[in-house]
Structure formats: structure tokens, C-alpha cells
Amino acid sequence: MSTISELQELLSQPRQVFITTHHKPDADALGSSLGLAGYLRKKGHTVTVVTPSDYPDFLAWMPGNNEVVVYDSRQNDAQVQEIIGTAEVLFCLDFSCLNRINEMGEYIRHAPGTKVLIDHHQEPEQFADLDFSNSSAAATAELVFEVIRDLGDQDLIDAGIGECLYAGIMTDTGSFRHPSTSRNVHLIIAELLNAGINLSDVHRRIYDSHSEMRLRFLGFVLKDKLRVLREYNTAYIAITQQELKEYDSKTGDTEGLVNFALSIEGIVFAAVLIDRGQAVKISFRSVGDFSVSSFSRDHFQGGGHHNASGGISYTSLDSTVQRFLDLLPQYQSQLVTAPLAVAPPTV
Ligand SMILES: [Mn+2]
């Protein structure tokens, strides 16, 4: 952990600031980036937010969205290298390893500016000059709020900045139900309400803005693709490229699917495996003691949080699913003794 006075010193004069976040940004990634950008602009800094890939349309309402540069190796590689190479301060938000952001990671690694990491994932890579990572925080947006507050500038958090931060905290806590939803989280939300945020608007823009096709895709997945393995208290969903195409699946359309699998009573471990062509992307969730962070780190080149993590596989979807299934027996005792793994009630 670095001290706030080091950051204060760094930002004591107007700077060229670069902000980035993880691949396929979610609401915490984009919300913490745009919340921080809005604040730094008010302080007189020149800020460019660059995302390593596109992101879902339901995040486009965030103030500052129109100025985001979406990196594309074929379109704007030189422009982005220039932005990174000339930045005096580089903020990396909501990811902990530079290899998570593809080519841009190497540009940042070799950039001459001062790197600042603000993140809540486990086991951060040591690449930053200033490190404000804290894996017990519920969201990176929570940490961004604290950084702004500790810099003595909480009064600069207006409704626009506040709604960006609220979106990050709301989604990363699963709408304030994950165990990470601390007293501190609720106190911060109270401060954001003071700043004038409209929380029901934010909720609706994020959760109630699906396309009709997305809802029909969800219906198909739950009816035909969900597999429940009672002997392991595990549920999983595997989706082929063809199925994504049939339902015209857009970035973000598969987000949250894993939570449906986890919402079945007695299920303590859930996985969604999606064939994205170049690789199979996997989301893991758990409730209770079972660590999906270790599971994905040990078997699927991933990591993340204790109860929420991601992984990747470069073999076919079928063989990835088989590998996943073959791993379950060695975890059976952990999965069936998990305190929340109660047998379904007999009616
Ligand atoms: Mn996050």
C-alpha cells in the first residue's frame, strides 16, 4: 500500500493522465475509471480513458463515456501507444496483472510515466509505482471514492461522478448482497446519496435495459443449457459459438448468467463456459468457503476473488467442459460439506 501523500504530491500540478481498466470492462471497471476521470478533470488534469476492448451498451450512459478511446490493435494502435508513452501518470483500475489487457499491458509496463494501481483483486502483480490495491474492498469504485476522499476532495464528487462509482459498487456487490458489502460500503453509498445520485435510475439503466433477444437467450440457456450436478452441489452452463450467433449475442449479454446457476438452492459452485472462438472464457462463482479463485488459478489460468473468478482454456469447449467435470471428484468433500450446501427440502 502506498500513502496518499505520495499521490497528492504527484497530482499537485496539472498532469497528462492516462486511465485504463481490464479487458471487456464491467460496471466497476468503467465506473471507477470514469468516476476518477471526472474528478481529475475537475482538478485541472488532462485525462484520457482508454479501454482495452469494447464494453456493453448498458454502460454508455456514464458521464465521460463519449470521450473513451476503445483500443483496437488494427485501428488505433499508434494513437494509444502515443497516449501511453506521453502520459505523466498512468492509472490502472480494477485489474491486477498487465497480461489481462493484451498488447496495452506491455506498452504500460515500458511507459516512462508514474504508474498507479487501484484495485481489489487478489495477488496483484508488482508493476505499479504507487499501489492502492486492497483485496478486501468490495469494488474498485469503493477504493476510488476513498482515494478522492483521502485527497481531501470529497466535495468534488458530484452526482455524475457519484453515479459512476455507485454503478461499480452496486454491481460488484451483487446489489449489496455479497459478503463484501461492509458497513464501509453502506457509509460510502450514504455519502454518494448526499452528492445527489439517483440510485434507482442507475439500477434501471444497468439491469433493466436488455434487448428482447437477450431475454430470449436467457430463456434458452436456463431451459436447455443448465446442468445441475447434485452430487457436487455444482451447476454449470456451456455455450457454443453457434448458440451465441443464433441469439445475436452482444458484449455483456452473457454477464450474470453464472448467478442464475448459483441461485439454485443447495448449489455452492457455479460455472459458465463460453466458446469465444480463440478461447473458452469461464466464469466461476461460489458461496461460502469454496475458493473459486484458487480453483481457477490452479486449473484455468485465472484468478480473481474468493467467491468470484474467471478463467480461460485454449482447448475446445467440449474438452474444457470434460476437464472441468473430471476435476469435481477431488473437490467433492469441500463442495458437499460447505455450510450452505443444504439438501433441497423434501415437500
Ligand atoms: Mn471490480
Side-chain angles (χ1 to χ4, degrees):
M1 249 331 233
S2 298
T3 61
I4 202 74
S5 55
E6 292 172 88
L7 185 61
Q8 199 138 34
E9 169 67 29
L10 183 66
L11 297 173
S12 61
Q13 49 177 291
R15 298 288 193 184
Q16 291 287 337
V17 176
F18 161 87
I19 299 176
T20 196
T21 185
H22 62 72
H23 186 72
K24 295 286 174 190
D26 57 13
D28 189 34
L30 195 70
S32 57
S33 297
L34 291 179
L36 180 65
Y39 158 71
L40 291 173
R41 287 187 180 123
K42 280 190 168 181
K43 293 289 281 184
H45 303 288
T46 306
V47 184
T48 310
V49 176
V50 182
T51 58
S53 73
D54 66 343
Y55 49 85
D57 289 343
F58 63 75
L59 301 178
W61 56 269
M62 289 184 183
N65 172 70
N66 294 340
E67 288 140 84
V68 172
V69 176
V70 177
Y71 175 73
D72 181 332
S73 58
R74 288 155 309 177
Q75 305 269 333
N76 57 10
D77 185 71
Q79 181 203 354
V80 168
Q81 283 200 53
E82 165 88 19
I83 296 168
I84 293 173
T86 54
E88 298 172 277
V89 185
L90 301 97
F91 282 96
C92 296
L93 304 188
D94 204 35
F95 69 101
S96 58
C97 300
L98 287 175
N99 66 13
R100 276 210 69 193
I101 57 168
N102 315 330
E103 296 95 329
M104 272 174 56
E106 289 312 301
Y107 303 155
I108 293 170
R109 195 186 301 283
H110 299 113
T114 306
K115 290 144 209 153
V116 185
L117 177 68
I118 306 179
D119 178 54
H120 68 133
H121 293 85
Q122 290 175 346
E123 303 196 2
E125 180 188 339
Q126 306 294 320
F127 68 89
D129 303 297
L130 297 183
D131 186 343
F132 295 91
S133 55
N134 175 1
S135 65
S136 64
T140 297
E142 177 186 357
L143 297 172
V144 168
F145 176 91
E146 291 181 336
V147 164
I148 297 173
R149 181 197 60 199
D150 295 348
L151 287 167
D153 287 328
Q154 192 184 322
D155 55 338
L156 294 181
I157 298 181
D158 55 26
I161 293 169
E163 288 181 358
C164 290
L165 300 180
Y166 181 77
I169 298 171
M170 176 187 77
T171 53
D172 267 26
T173 55
S175 297
F176 308 100
R177 68 199 147 117
H178 296 333
S180 59
T181 314
S182 60
R183 176 177 183 274
N184 189 49
V185 164
H186 282 292
L187 289 172
I188 288 173
I189 301 308
E191 297 298 323
L192 296 180
L193 283 166
N194 251 348
I197 65 162
N198 185 326
L199 49 83
S200 52
D201 274 4
V202 174
H203 192 279
R204 186 162 171 77
R205 286 181 209 130
I206 289 185
Y207 289 118
D208 299 334
S209 62
H210 298 311
S211 66
E212 181 184 336
M213 271 308 246
R214 199 269 178 184
L215 216 61
R216 297 197 186 282
F217 174 66
L218 177 62
F220 159 72
V221 166
L222 296 183
K223 178 169 169 291
D224 292 344
K225 306 298 295 184
L226 175 67
R227 303 279 180 272
V228 178
L229 308 168
R230 283 289 173 196
E231 65 275 35
Y232 301 116
N233 292 319
T234 293
Y236 74 95
I237 294 165
I239 301 171
T240 66
Q241 275 189 284
Q242 181 58 30
E243 288 158 351
L244 292 175
K245 219 152 97 203
E246 259 165 54
Y247 285 89
D248 190 26
S249 177
K250 303 267 194 315
T251 294
D253 280 0
T254 54
E255 207 169 294
L257 285 182
V258 68
N259 296 319
F260 285 96
L262 197 64
S263 72
I264 302 166
E265 64 180 340
I267 295 302
V268 297
F269 182 27
V272 169
L273 307 95
I274 301 176
D275 188 353
R276 294 284 182 193
Q278 322 87 321
V280 176
K281 299 284 180 71
I282 315 169
S283 300
F284 296 110
R285 295 289 183 280
S286 65
V287 284
D289 293 340
F290 184 69
S291 169
V292 289
S293 167
S294 328
F295 184 86
S296 61
R297 199 163 42 239
D298 292 347
H299 305 293
F300 293 99
Q301 300 176 42
H305 310 291
H306 178 78
N307 291 128
S309 70
I312 194 158
S313 160
Y314 295 99
T315 61
S316 71
L317 181 64
D318 284 347
S319 72
T320 304
V321 168
Q322 196 53 53
R323 189 146 56 92
F324 170 70
L325 296 176
D326 289 345
L327 285 165
L328 293 176
Q330 59 177 287
Y331 292 96
Q332 188 171 29
S333 60
Q334 288 182 50
L335 291 167
V336 298
T337 58
L340 290 164
V342 289
T346 43
V347 182

